[in-house]
Coordinates of all heavy atoms in Angstrom, one line a residue:
M1 N -33.3 -87.8 -26.5 CA -32.3 -86.8 -26.7 C -32.8 -85.5 -27.3 O -34.0 -85.5 -27.7 CB -31.2 -87.3 -27.6 CG -31.6 -87.3 -29.1 SD -30.5 -88.2 -30.1 CE -31.4 -89.7 -30.4
R2 N -32.1 -84.5 -27.2 CA -32.7 -83.2 -27.6 C -32.4 -82.9 -29.1 O -33.3 -82.3 -29.8 CB -32.0 -82.1 -26.7 CG -32.4 -80.7 -27.1 CD -31.9 -79.7 -26.2 NE -32.3 -78.4 -26.6 CZ -32.0 -77.2 -26.0 NH1 -31.2 -77.3 -24.9 NH2 -32.4 -76.1 -26.4
F3 N -31.3 -83.3 -29.6 CA -31.0 -83.1 -31.0 C -30.9 -84.4 -31.8 O -30.5 -85.4 -31.4 CB -29.6 -82.4 -31.1 CG -29.5 -81.1 -30.4 CD1 -28.9 -80.9 -29.2 CD2 -30.2 -80.0 -31.0 CE1 -28.8 -79.7 -28.7 CE2 -30.1 -78.7 -30.4 CZ -29.5 -78.6 -29.2
A4 N -31.4 -84.2 -33.1 CA -31.2 -85.3 -34.0 C -30.7 -84.7 -35.3 O -30.8 -83.5 -35.6 CB -32.5 -86.0 -34.2
L5 N -30.2 -85.5 -36.2 CA -29.7 -85.0 -37.4 C -30.7 -85.1 -38.5 O -31.5 -86.1 -38.7 CB -28.5 -85.9 -38.0 CG -27.3 -85.8 -37.1 CD1 -26.3 -86.9 -37.6 CD2 -26.6 -84.4 -37.1
L6 N -31.0 -84.0 -39.2 CA -31.8 -83.9 -40.3 C -31.0 -83.3 -41.4 O -30.8 -82.1 -41.4 CB -33.1 -83.1 -40.0 CG -34.3 -83.2 -40.9 CD1 -34.8 -84.6 -40.9 CD2 -35.4 -82.3 -40.5
G7 N -30.6 -84.1 -42.4 CA -29.7 -83.6 -43.4 C -28.3 -83.2 -42.6 O -27.9 -84.1 -41.9
D8 N -27.9 -82.1 -42.9 CA -26.6 -81.7 -42.2 C -26.9 -80.9 -41.0 O -26.0 -80.4 -40.3 CB -25.8 -80.8 -43.2 CG -25.3 -81.5 -44.3 OD1 -25.0 -82.7 -44.1 OD2 -25.1 -80.9 -45.4
N9 N -28.1 -80.8 -40.6 CA -28.5 -79.9 -39.4 C -28.8 -80.7 -38.2 O -29.4 -81.8 -38.3 CB -29.6 -79.0 -39.8 CG -29.4 -78.1 -40.9 OD1 -28.3 -77.5 -40.9 ND2 -30.3 -78.0 -41.9
R10 N -28.5 -80.2 -37.0 CA -28.9 -80.8 -35.8 C -30.1 -80.0 -35.3 O -30.0 -78.8 -35.1 CB -27.8 -80.7 -34.7 CG -26.5 -81.5 -35.1 CD -25.4 -81.1 -34.3 NE -25.5 -81.6 -32.9 CZ -25.4 -80.9 -31.8 NH1 -25.3 -79.6 -32.0 NH2 -25.5 -81.4 -30.7
I11 N -31.2 -80.6 -35.2 CA -32.4 -79.9 -34.9 C -33.1 -80.5 -33.6 O -32.9 -81.7 -33.2 CB -33.5 -80.0 -36.0 CG1 -33.8 -81.4 -36.3 CG2 -32.9 -79.2 -37.2 CD1 -34.9 -81.5 -37.3
E12 N -33.9 -79.7 -33.0 CA -34.7 -80.1 -31.9 C -36.0 -80.8 -32.3 O -36.5 -80.5 -33.4 CB -35.0 -78.9 -31.0 CG -33.7 -78.3 -30.3 CD -34.1 -77.3 -29.2 OE1 -34.8 -77.7 -28.3 OE2 -33.6 -76.2 -29.4
A13 N -36.5 -81.6 -31.4 CA -37.8 -82.4 -31.8 C -38.9 -81.5 -32.0 O -39.1 -80.5 -31.3 CB -38.1 -83.3 -30.6
Q14 N -39.6 -81.7 -33.1 CA -40.9 -81.0 -33.4 C -41.9 -82.0 -33.9 O -41.5 -83.0 -34.6 CB -40.6 -79.9 -34.5 CG -39.8 -78.7 -34.0 CD -39.4 -77.8 -35.1 OE1 -40.2 -77.5 -36.0 NE2 -38.2 -77.3 -35.0
P15 N -43.1 -81.8 -33.8 CA -44.1 -82.7 -34.1 C -44.0 -83.3 -35.5 O -43.8 -82.5 -36.4 CB -45.5 -82.0 -33.9 CG -45.2 -81.0 -32.9 CD -43.7 -80.6 -33.2
K16 N -44.1 -84.6 -35.6 CA -44.1 -85.4 -36.9 C -42.8 -85.4 -37.7 O -42.7 -85.8 -38.8 CB -45.2 -84.8 -37.8 CG -46.6 -85.0 -37.2 CD -47.7 -84.6 -38.1 CE -49.0 -84.9 -37.5 NZ -50.1 -83.9 -37.9
L17 N -41.8 -84.9 -37.0 CA -40.4 -85.0 -37.7 C -39.7 -86.3 -37.5 O -40.0 -87.0 -36.5 CB -39.5 -83.9 -37.2 CG -39.7 -82.4 -37.8 CD1 -38.6 -81.5 -37.2 CD2 -39.7 -82.5 -39.3
N18 N -39.0 -86.7 -38.5 CA -38.1 -87.9 -38.4 C -36.7 -87.4 -38.6 O -36.4 -86.5 -39.4 CB -38.5 -88.9 -39.4 CG -39.8 -89.6 -39.2 OD1 -40.0 -90.4 -38.2 ND2 -40.8 -89.2 -40.0
G19 N -35.8 -88.0 -37.8 CA -34.4 -87.6 -38.0 C -33.5 -88.9 -37.8 O -34.0 -90.0 -37.8
L20 N -32.2 -88.6 -37.7 CA -31.3 -89.7 -37.4 C -30.5 -89.4 -36.1 O -30.1 -88.3 -35.8 CB -30.2 -89.8 -38.6 CG -30.8 -90.1 -40.0 CD1 -29.7 -90.1 -41.0 CD2 -31.4 -91.5 -39.9
C21 N -30.3 -90.5 -35.4 CA -29.6 -90.4 -34.1 C -28.1 -89.9 -34.3 O -27.5 -90.3 -35.3 CB -29.5 -91.8 -33.4 SG -28.5 -91.8 -31.9
C22 N -27.7 -88.9 -33.5 CA -26.4 -88.4 -33.8 C -25.3 -89.3 -33.3 O -24.1 -89.1 -33.5 CB -26.2 -87.0 -33.1 SG -26.5 -87.0 -31.3
C23 N -25.7 -90.4 -32.5 CA -24.8 -91.3 -32.0 C -24.6 -92.6 -33.0 O -23.5 -92.9 -33.4 CB -25.2 -91.8 -30.6 SG -25.3 -90.5 -29.5
C24 N -25.8 -93.2 -33.3 CA -25.7 -94.4 -34.1 C -26.3 -94.3 -35.5 O -26.3 -95.3 -36.3 CB -26.5 -95.5 -33.3 SG -28.3 -95.2 -33.2
S25 N -26.8 -93.1 -35.8 CA -27.3 -92.9 -37.2 C -28.5 -93.7 -37.6 O -28.8 -93.9 -38.7 CB -26.2 -93.1 -38.3 OG -25.1 -92.2 -38.0
K26 N -29.1 -94.2 -36.5 CA -30.4 -95.0 -36.8 C -31.6 -94.0 -36.7 O -31.5 -92.9 -36.2 CB -30.6 -96.0 -35.7 CG -29.5 -97.1 -35.7 CD -30.0 -98.4 -36.2 CE -28.9 -99.4 -36.4 NZ -28.2 -99.8 -35.2
P27 N -32.8 -94.4 -37.4 CA -33.9 -93.4 -37.3 C -34.4 -93.2 -36.0 O -34.5 -94.0 -35.1 CB -34.9 -94.2 -38.2 CG -34.2 -95.2 -38.9 CD -33.0 -95.6 -38.1
V28 N -34.7 -91.9 -35.7 CA -35.4 -91.5 -34.5 C -36.6 -90.6 -34.9 O -36.6 -90.1 -35.9 CB -34.4 -90.7 -33.6 CG1 -33.3 -91.5 -33.0 CG2 -33.8 -89.5 -34.4
I29 N -37.6 -90.7 -34.0 CA -38.8 -90.0 -34.2 C -39.0 -89.0 -33.1 O -38.7 -89.2 -32.0 CB -40.0 -90.9 -34.4 CG1 -40.1 -91.8 -33.2 CG2 -40.0 -91.7 -35.7 CD1 -41.4 -92.7 -33.1
A30 N -39.7 -87.8 -33.5 CA -39.9 -86.8 -32.5 C -41.1 -87.2 -31.6 O -42.1 -87.7 -32.0 CB -40.3 -85.5 -33.2
K31 N -40.8 -87.1 -30.3 CA -41.9 -87.4 -29.3 C -42.3 -86.1 -28.7 O -41.6 -85.5 -27.9 CB -41.4 -88.3 -28.2 CG -40.9 -89.6 -28.7 CD -42.0 -90.5 -28.8 CE -41.5 -92.0 -29.1 NZ -42.7 -92.9 -29.3
C32 N -43.5 -85.7 -29.2 CA -43.9 -84.3 -28.7 C -45.3 -84.4 -28.1 O -46.3 -84.1 -28.7 CB -44.0 -83.4 -30.0 SG -42.4 -83.2 -30.8
G33 N -45.3 -84.9 -26.9 CA -46.5 -85.0 -26.1 C -46.8 -83.8 -25.2 O -46.0 -82.8 -25.3
T34 N -47.8 -83.9 -24.4 CA -48.1 -82.8 -23.6 C -47.5 -82.9 -22.2 O -47.4 -82.0 -21.4 CB -49.6 -82.6 -23.5 OG1 -50.2 -83.8 -23.1 CG2 -50.3 -82.2 -24.8
R35 N -47.2 -84.2 -21.8 CA -46.8 -84.4 -20.4 C -45.2 -84.4 -20.3 O -44.7 -84.0 -19.2 CB -47.3 -85.7 -19.9 CG -48.8 -85.6 -19.6 CD -49.4 -86.9 -19.3 NE -48.7 -87.7 -18.4 CZ -48.6 -89.1 -18.5 NH1 -49.3 -89.7 -19.4 NH2 -48.0 -89.7 -17.6
K36 N -44.5 -84.9 -21.3 CA -43.1 -84.8 -21.2 C -42.5 -83.8 -22.1 O -43.1 -83.4 -23.1 CB -42.6 -86.2 -21.7 CG -42.7 -87.3 -20.6 CD -42.3 -88.6 -21.2 CE -41.1 -89.3 -20.8 NZ -40.8 -90.5 -21.5
I37 N -41.3 -83.4 -21.8 CA -40.6 -82.5 -22.7 C -40.4 -83.1 -24.1 O -40.2 -84.3 -24.1 CB -39.2 -82.0 -22.0 CG1 -38.4 -83.2 -21.6 CG2 -39.5 -81.1 -20.9 CD1 -37.1 -82.8 -21.1
W38 N -40.4 -82.3 -25.0 CA -40.2 -82.8 -26.4 C -38.8 -83.4 -26.6 O -37.9 -82.8 -26.1 CB -40.5 -81.8 -27.4 CG -41.9 -81.3 -27.5 CD1 -42.9 -81.8 -26.7 CD2 -42.5 -80.4 -28.5 NE1 -44.1 -81.2 -27.1 CE2 -43.9 -80.3 -28.1 CE3 -42.0 -79.7 -29.5 CZ2 -44.7 -79.5 -28.9 CZ3 -42.9 -78.9 -30.2 CH2 -44.2 -78.8 -29.9
H39 N -38.8 -84.6 -27.2 CA -37.4 -85.2 -27.4 C -37.5 -86.2 -28.5 O -38.6 -86.4 -29.1 CB -37.1 -85.9 -26.1 CG -37.9 -87.1 -25.8 ND1 -39.1 -86.9 -25.2 CD2 -37.8 -88.4 -25.9 CE1 -39.8 -88.0 -25.0 NE2 -38.9 -89.0 -25.5
W40 N -36.4 -86.7 -28.9 CA -36.2 -87.7 -29.9 C -36.1 -89.1 -29.3 O -35.4 -89.2 -28.3 CB -35.0 -87.4 -30.8 CG -35.0 -86.2 -31.5 CD1 -34.5 -85.0 -31.2 CD2 -35.7 -86.0 -32.8 NE1 -34.7 -84.0 -32.2 CE2 -35.5 -84.6 -33.2 CE3 -36.4 -86.7 -33.7 CZ2 -35.9 -84.1 -34.4 CZ3 -36.9 -86.2 -34.9 CH2 -36.6 -84.9 -35.2
A41 N -36.7 -90.0 -29.9 CA -36.5 -91.4 -29.4 C -36.3 -92.4 -30.6 O -36.7 -92.1 -31.7 CB -37.8 -91.9 -28.6
H42 N -35.5 -93.4 -30.4 CA -35.2 -94.4 -31.4 C -36.5 -95.1 -31.9 O -37.3 -95.4 -31.1 CB -34.2 -95.4 -31.0 CG -32.8 -94.8 -30.8 ND1 -32.4 -94.3 -29.6 CD2 -31.8 -94.7 -31.7 CE1 -31.2 -93.9 -29.8 NE2 -30.7 -94.1 -31.0
K43 N -36.6 -95.3 -33.2 CA -37.7 -95.9 -33.7 C -37.8 -97.3 -33.3 O -38.9 -97.9 -33.0 CB -37.7 -95.9 -35.3 CG -38.9 -95.3 -35.9 CD -38.6 -95.1 -37.4 CE -39.6 -94.1 -38.0 NZ -39.3 -93.8 -39.4
S44 N -36.7 -98.0 -33.3 CA -36.7 -99.4 -32.8 C -35.7 -99.6 -31.8 O -34.8 -98.8 -31.6 CB -36.5 -100.3 -34.0 OG -35.3 -99.9 -34.7
K45 N -35.7 -100.8 -31.1 CA -34.7 -101.1 -30.1 C -33.3 -101.0 -30.7 O -33.1 -101.5 -31.8 CB -35.0 -102.5 -29.5 CG -36.1 -102.4 -28.5 CD -35.4 -102.6 -27.1 CE -36.5 -102.5 -26.1 NZ -36.2 -101.6 -24.9
T46 N -32.4 -100.5 -30.0 CA -31.1 -100.3 -30.5 C -30.1 -100.5 -29.4 O -30.4 -100.5 -28.3 CB -30.9 -99.0 -31.1 OG1 -29.5 -98.7 -31.4 CG2 -31.4 -97.9 -30.2
D47 N -28.8 -100.8 -29.8 CA -27.8 -100.9 -28.8 C -27.1 -99.6 -28.6 O -26.1 -99.6 -27.9 CB -26.8 -102.1 -29.1 CG -26.2 -101.9 -30.5 OD1 -26.5 -100.9 -31.2 OD2 -25.5 -102.8 -30.9
C48 N -27.7 -98.6 -29.2 CA -27.1 -97.3 -28.9 C -27.2 -96.9 -27.4 O -28.1 -97.3 -26.8 CB -27.9 -96.2 -29.7 SG -27.4 -94.5 -29.5
D49 N -26.2 -96.1 -27.0 CA -26.3 -95.6 -25.6 C -27.7 -94.9 -25.5 O -28.0 -94.0 -26.3 CB -25.2 -94.5 -25.4 CG -23.9 -95.2 -25.2 OD1 -23.8 -96.4 -25.0 OD2 -22.9 -94.5 -25.4
N50 N -28.4 -95.2 -24.5 CA -29.7 -94.6 -24.3 C -29.8 -94.1 -22.8 O -30.9 -93.9 -22.3 CB -30.9 -95.5 -24.6 CG -30.9 -96.6 -23.8 OD1 -30.0 -96.9 -23.0 ND2 -31.9 -97.4 -23.9
W51 N -28.7 -93.7 -22.2 CA -28.7 -93.2 -20.9 C -29.5 -91.9 -20.8 O -29.9 -91.5 -19.7 CB -27.3 -93.0 -20.4 CG -26.3 -92.3 -21.4 CD1 -25.5 -92.9 -22.3 CD2 -26.3 -90.9 -21.7 NE1 -24.9 -92.0 -23.0 CE2 -25.3 -90.8 -22.7 CE3 -26.9 -89.8 -21.2 CZ2 -25.0 -89.6 -23.3 CZ3 -26.6 -88.6 -21.8 CH2 -25.7 -88.4 -22.8
W52 N -29.7 -91.2 -21.9 CA -30.3 -89.9 -21.9 C -31.8 -90.1 -22.0 O -32.5 -89.1 -22.1 CB -29.8 -89.0 -23.0 CG -29.5 -89.8 -24.3 CD1 -28.3 -90.2 -24.8 CD2 -30.5 -90.2 -25.3 NE1 -28.5 -91.0 -25.9 CE2 -29.8 -91.0 -26.2 CE3 -31.9 -90.1 -25.3 CZ2 -30.5 -91.5 -27.3 CZ3 -32.5 -90.7 -26.4 CH2 -31.9 -91.4 -27.4
E53 N -32.3 -91.3 -22.1 CA -33.7 -91.5 -22.3 C -34.4 -92.1 -21.1 O -34.1 -93.3 -20.9 CB -33.9 -92.4 -23.6 CG -35.2 -92.0 -24.4 CD -35.2 -92.8 -25.7 OE1 -34.1 -93.1 -26.3 OE2 -36.2 -93.2 -26.1
P54 N -35.3 -91.6 -20.4 CA -35.8 -90.1 -20.6 C -34.8 -89.2 -20.0 O -34.2 -89.5 -19.0 CB -37.1 -90.1 -19.9 CG -36.9 -91.1 -18.8 CD -36.0 -92.2 -19.3
E55 N -34.8 -88.0 -20.5 CA -33.9 -87.0 -20.0 C -34.7 -86.2 -19.0 O -35.8 -85.9 -19.2 CB -33.5 -86.1 -21.2 CG -32.4 -85.1 -20.8 CD -31.9 -84.3 -22.0 OE1 -32.7 -83.8 -22.8 OE2 -30.7 -84.4 -22.2
T56 N -34.1 -85.9 -17.9 CA -34.8 -85.1 -16.9 C -34.7 -83.6 -17.2 O -33.8 -83.2 -17.9 CB -34.2 -85.4 -15.5 OG1 -32.9 -84.9 -15.5 CG2 -34.2 -86.9 -15.2
E57 N -35.7 -82.9 -16.6 CA -35.7 -81.5 -16.7 C -34.4 -80.9 -16.2 O -33.8 -80.0 -16.7 CB -36.9 -81.0 -16.0 CG -37.2 -79.5 -16.3 CD -37.7 -79.4 -17.8 OE1 -38.6 -80.1 -18.1 OE2 -37.1 -78.5 -18.5
W58 N -34.0 -81.5 -15.0 CA -32.7 -81.0 -14.5 C -31.6 -81.2 -15.4 O -30.7 -80.2 -15.5 CB -32.5 -81.8 -13.1 CG -31.2 -81.4 -12.5 CD1 -31.1 -80.3 -11.7 CD2 -29.9 -81.9 -12.7 NE1 -29.7 -80.2 -11.3 CE2 -29.0 -81.2 -12.0 CE3 -29.4 -83.0 -13.5 CZ2 -27.6 -81.5 -11.9 CZ3 -28.0 -83.3 -13.5 CH2 -27.1 -82.6 -12.7
H59 N -31.5 -82.3 -16.0 CA -30.4 -82.5 -16.9 C -30.4 -81.6 -18.1 O -29.3 -81.0 -18.4 CB -30.5 -84.0 -17.4 CG -29.3 -84.4 -18.2 ND1 -29.3 -85.5 -19.1 CD2 -28.0 -84.0 -18.4 CE1 -28.2 -85.6 -19.7 NE2 -27.4 -84.7 -19.3
R60 N -31.5 -81.3 -18.6 CA -31.6 -80.4 -19.7 C -31.2 -79.0 -19.3 O -30.6 -78.3 -20.0 CB -33.0 -80.5 -20.4 CG -33.2 -79.5 -21.5 CD -34.4 -79.8 -22.3 NE -34.3 -81.1 -23.0 CZ -35.2 -81.4 -24.0 NH1 -36.1 -80.6 -24.4 NH2 -35.0 -82.6 -24.6
T61 N -31.7 -78.6 -18.2 CA -31.4 -77.3 -17.7 C -29.9 -77.2 -17.5 O -29.3 -76.2 -17.9 CB -32.1 -77.0 -16.3 OG1 -33.5 -77.2 -16.6 CG2 -31.8 -75.6 -15.8
W62 N -29.3 -78.2 -17.0 CA -27.8 -78.2 -16.7 C -27.1 -78.1 -18.0 O -26.2 -77.3 -18.2 CB -27.4 -79.5 -16.1 CG -26.0 -79.6 -15.7 CD1 -25.4 -79.1 -14.6 CD2 -25.0 -80.2 -16.5 NE1 -24.0 -79.4 -14.6 CE2 -23.8 -80.0 -15.8 CE3 -25.0 -80.8 -17.7 CZ2 -22.5 -80.5 -16.2 CZ3 -23.7 -81.3 -18.2 CH2 -22.5 -81.1 -17.5
K63 N -27.5 -78.8 -19.0 CA -26.9 -78.7 -20.4 C -27.1 -77.3 -21.0 O -26.3 -76.9 -21.8 CB -27.4 -79.8 -21.3 CG -26.7 -81.2 -20.9 CD -26.8 -82.2 -22.0 CE -28.2 -82.5 -22.3 NZ -28.3 -83.7 -23.1
N64 N -28.2 -76.7 -20.7 CA -28.4 -75.4 -21.2 C -27.4 -74.3 -20.8 O -27.5 -73.2 -21.3 CB -29.8 -74.9 -21.0 CG -30.9 -75.6 -21.9 OD1 -30.4 -76.2 -23.0 ND2 -32.1 -75.6 -21.5
N65 N -26.6 -74.7 -19.8 CA -25.6 -73.8 -19.4 C -24.5 -73.7 -20.5 O -23.6 -72.8 -20.5 CB -24.9 -74.3 -18.1 CG -25.8 -74.1 -16.9 OD1 -26.6 -73.2 -16.9 ND2 -25.7 -75.0 -16.0
Y66 N -24.6 -74.6 -21.5 CA -23.6 -74.6 -22.6 C -24.2 -74.3 -23.9 O -25.4 -74.6 -24.1 CB -22.9 -76.0 -22.6 CG -22.2 -76.3 -21.4 CD1 -22.9 -77.0 -20.4 CD2 -20.9 -75.9 -21.1 CE1 -22.3 -77.3 -19.2 CE2 -20.3 -76.2 -19.9 CZ -21.0 -76.9 -18.9 OH -20.4 -77.2 -17.8
P67 N -23.5 -73.7 -24.8 CA -24.1 -73.4 -26.1 C -24.6 -74.7 -26.8 O -24.0 -75.8 -26.6 CB -22.9 -72.9 -26.9 CG -21.9 -72.4 -25.9 CD -22.1 -73.3 -24.7
A68 N -25.6 -74.5 -27.6 CA -26.3 -75.7 -28.2 C -25.3 -76.5 -29.0 O -25.4 -77.7 -29.1 CB -27.5 -75.3 -29.1
D69 N -24.3 -75.8 -29.7 CA -23.3 -76.5 -30.5 C -22.5 -77.5 -29.7 O -21.8 -78.4 -30.3 CB -22.4 -75.6 -31.2 CG -23.2 -74.9 -32.4 OD1 -24.3 -75.4 -32.7 OD2 -22.6 -74.0 -33.0
W70 N -22.4 -77.3 -28.4 CA -21.5 -78.2 -27.6 C -22.3 -79.4 -27.0 O -21.7 -80.2 -26.5 CB -21.0 -77.4 -26.4 CG -20.1 -76.3 -26.7 CD1 -19.7 -75.8 -28.0 CD2 -19.2 -75.5 -25.9 NE1 -18.8 -74.8 -27.9 CE2 -18.5 -74.6 -26.6 CE3 -19.1 -75.5 -24.4 CZ2 -17.6 -73.7 -26.0 CZ3 -18.2 -74.6 -23.9 CH2 -17.5 -73.7 -24.6
Q71 N -23.6 -79.4 -27.2 CA -24.4 -80.4 -26.5 C -24.6 -81.6 -27.4 O -24.8 -81.5 -28.6 CB -25.8 -79.8 -26.2 CG -25.7 -78.7 -25.2 CD -27.2 -78.1 -24.9 OE1 -28.1 -78.8 -25.1 NE2 -27.2 -76.9 -24.5
E72 N -24.5 -82.8 -26.8 CA -24.8 -84.1 -27.4 C -24.0 -84.3 -28.7 O -24.5 -84.7 -29.7 CB -26.3 -84.2 -27.7 CG -27.0 -84.2 -26.4 CD -28.5 -84.3 -26.6 OE1 -29.0 -84.3 -27.7 OE2 -29.3 -84.4 -25.5
I73 N -22.7 -83.9 -28.7 CA -21.9 -84.2 -29.8 C -21.1 -85.5 -29.5 O -20.5 -85.6 -28.4 CB -20.9 -83.0 -30.1 CG1 -21.7 -81.8 -30.4 CG2 -19.9 -83.4 -31.2 CD1 -20.9 -80.5 -30.6
A74 N -21.2 -86.4 -30.4 CA -20.4 -87.6 -30.1 C -18.9 -87.4 -30.1 O -18.4 -86.7 -30.9 CB -20.8 -88.7 -31.3
L75 N -18.3 -87.9 -29.1 CA -16.9 -87.7 -28.9 C -16.1 -89.0 -29.3 O -16.6 -90.1 -29.0 CB -16.6 -87.4 -27.5 CG -17.2 -86.1 -26.9 CD1 -16.8 -85.9 -25.5 CD2 -16.8 -84.9 -27.8
F76 N -15.0 -88.8 -29.9 CA -14.2 -90.0 -30.3 C -12.9 -90.0 -29.7 O -12.2 -89.0 -29.6 CB -14.0 -90.0 -31.8 CG -15.4 -90.2 -32.6 CD1 -16.1 -89.1 -32.8 CD2 -15.8 -91.5 -32.9 CE1 -17.4 -89.3 -33.5 CE2 -17.0 -91.6 -33.5 CZ -17.8 -90.5 -33.8
D77 N -12.4 -91.2 -29.2 CA -11.1 -91.3 -28.7 C -10.1 -91.2 -29.8 O -10.2 -91.9 -30.8 CB -10.9 -92.7 -28.0 CG -9.6 -92.7 -27.3 OD1 -8.6 -92.8 -28.0 OD2 -9.6 -92.9 -26.0
K78 N -9.2 -90.2 -29.7 CA -8.3 -90.0 -30.8 C -7.5 -91.1 -31.2 O -7.1 -91.3 -32.3 CB -7.5 -88.7 -30.5 CG -8.3 -87.4 -30.6 CD -7.3 -86.2 -30.6 CE -8.1 -84.9 -30.8 NZ -8.9 -84.5 -29.6
R79 N -7.1 -91.9 -30.2 CA -6.1 -93.0 -30.5 C -6.8 -94.3 -31.1 O -6.4 -94.9 -32.0 CB -5.4 -93.4 -29.2 CG -4.3 -92.4 -28.9 CD -3.7 -92.8 -27.5 NE -4.7 -92.9 -26.5 CZ -4.8 -93.7 -25.5 NH1 -3.8 -94.6 -25.4 NH2 -5.8 -93.7 -24.7
T80 N -8.0 -94.5 -30.6 CA -8.7 -95.8 -30.9 C -9.8 -95.5 -31.9 O -10.4 -96.5 -32.5 CB -9.2 -96.5 -29.7 OG1 -10.2 -95.7 -29.1 CG2 -8.1 -96.8 -28.7
S81 N -10.2 -94.3 -32.1 CA -11.4 -93.9 -32.9 C -12.7 -94.5 -32.3 O -13.7 -94.6 -33.0 CB -11.2 -94.4 -34.3 OG -10.1 -93.7 -34.9
E82 N -12.7 -94.9 -31.1 CA -13.9 -95.5 -30.5 C -14.8 -94.3 -30.0 O -14.3 -93.4 -29.4 CB -13.6 -96.4 -29.3 CG -13.3 -97.8 -29.8 CD -12.9 -98.7 -28.6 OE1 -13.4 -98.3 -27.4 OE2 -12.3 -99.7 -28.8
K83 N -16.0 -94.5 -30.2 CA -17.0 -93.5 -29.7 C -17.1 -93.7 -28.2 O -17.2 -94.7 -27.6 CB -18.4 -93.7 -30.3 CG -19.3 -92.7 -29.9 CD -20.5 -92.5 -30.9 CE -20.9 -93.7 -31.6 NZ -22.0 -93.5 -32.6
T84 N -16.9 -92.6 -27.5 CA -17.0 -92.7 -26.0 C -18.4 -92.4 -25.5 O -18.9 -93.1 -24.8 CB -15.9 -91.9 -25.4 OG1 -16.0 -90.5 -25.9 CG2 -14.5 -92.4 -25.6
H85 N -18.9 -91.2 -25.8 CA -20.2 -90.9 -25.3 C -20.8 -89.7 -26.2 O -20.1 -89.1 -27.0 CB -20.3 -90.5 -23.9 CG -19.4 -89.4 -23.4 ND1 -19.8 -88.1 -23.5 CD2 -18.2 -89.4 -22.9 CE1 -18.9 -87.3 -23.1 NE2 -17.9 -88.0 -22.7
C86 N -22.0 -89.4 -25.9 CA -22.7 -88.4 -26.8 C -22.6 -87.0 -26.3 O -23.1 -86.1 -26.9 CB -24.2 -88.8 -26.9 SG -24.5 -90.4 -27.6
G87 N -22.0 -86.7 -25.2 CA -22.0 -85.4 -24.7 C -21.5 -85.4 -23.3 O -20.3 -85.4 -23.1
C88 N -22.4 -85.3 -22.4 CA -22.0 -85.4 -21.0 C -22.4 -86.7 -20.4 O -23.3 -87.4 -21.0 CB -22.6 -84.2 -20.2 SG -24.4 -84.3 -20.2
S89 N -21.8 -87.2 -19.4 CA -22.0 -88.5 -18.8 C -23.0 -88.4 -17.6 O -23.2 -89.4 -17.0 CB -20.8 -89.2 -18.4 OG -20.0 -88.3 -17.6
Y90 N -23.7 -87.3 -17.4 CA -24.7 -87.3 -16.4 C -26.0 -87.5 -16.8 O -26.4 -87.0 -17.9 CB -24.6 -85.9 -15.6 CG -23.2 -85.6 -15.1 CD1 -22.3 -84.8 -15.8 CD2 -22.8 -86.1 -13.8 CE1 -21.0 -84.6 -15.3 CE2 -21.6 -85.9 -13.3 CZ -20.7 -85.1 -14.1 OH -19.4 -84.9 -13.6
S91 N -26.8 -88.3 -16.2 CA -28.2 -88.4 -16.7 C -29.2 -88.5 -15.5 O -28.8 -88.4 -14.4 CB -28.4 -89.7 -17.5 OG -28.1 -90.8 -16.7
Ligands
ZN28 ZN1 -28.7 -93.8 -31.3

């Protein structure tokens, strides 16, 4: 995913950073290699939605049509309070 929580901030992956998943609040680590786009990945196996992993260049470009504040925000069903998805459902 592109954003993770670090304190109260949503930040993009940078080398050696650790953050929290904005969906499941589990630890995520920054993956900043030379071959793939920089992103966050869960530290351990999780039942969190991971449809965004790996995220394609196309998908990221598509999401960049929207302001960063709109991207990858967990949405909740107002009636059931169930988490539905993290942003957009295309991967
Ligand atoms: Zn997660």
Side-chain angles (χ1 to χ4, degrees):
M1 77 190 103
R2 181 171 177 182
F3 296 106
L5 294 174
L6 195 65
D8 291 331
N9 299 313
R10 296 166 72 237
I11 57 170
E12 294 191 56
Q14 288 172 41
K16 296 185 180 148
L17 279 186
N18 291 285
L20 295 176
C21 176
C22 59
C23 299
C24 65
S25 300
K26 298 252 171 64
V28 289
I29 51 175
K31 299 279 188 183
C32 301
T34 51
R35 285 168 48 211
K36 278 169 116 185
I37 51 177
W38 290 6
H39 64 282
W40 296 98
H42 289 90
K43 229 172 207 173
S44 52
K45 279 256 178 228
T46 168
D47 54 7
C48 178
D49 286 341
N50 61 356
W51 44 262
W52 39 259
E53 211 172 328
E55 187 172 55
T56 65
E57 194 66 52
W58 177 87
H59 186 199
R60 179 165 293 193
T61 302
W62 183 85
K63 284 198 295 195
N64 280 340
N65 289 325
Y66 300 91
D69 283 352
W70 292 9
Q71 296 179 25
E72 294 180 358
I73 297 173
L75 300 179
F76 294 87
D77 187 295
K78 287 194 175 71
R79 283 173 305 143
T80 63
S81 296
E82 275 178 22
K83 183 157 35 184
T84 51
H85 61 82
C86 298
C88 60
S89 53
Y90 301 97
S91 64

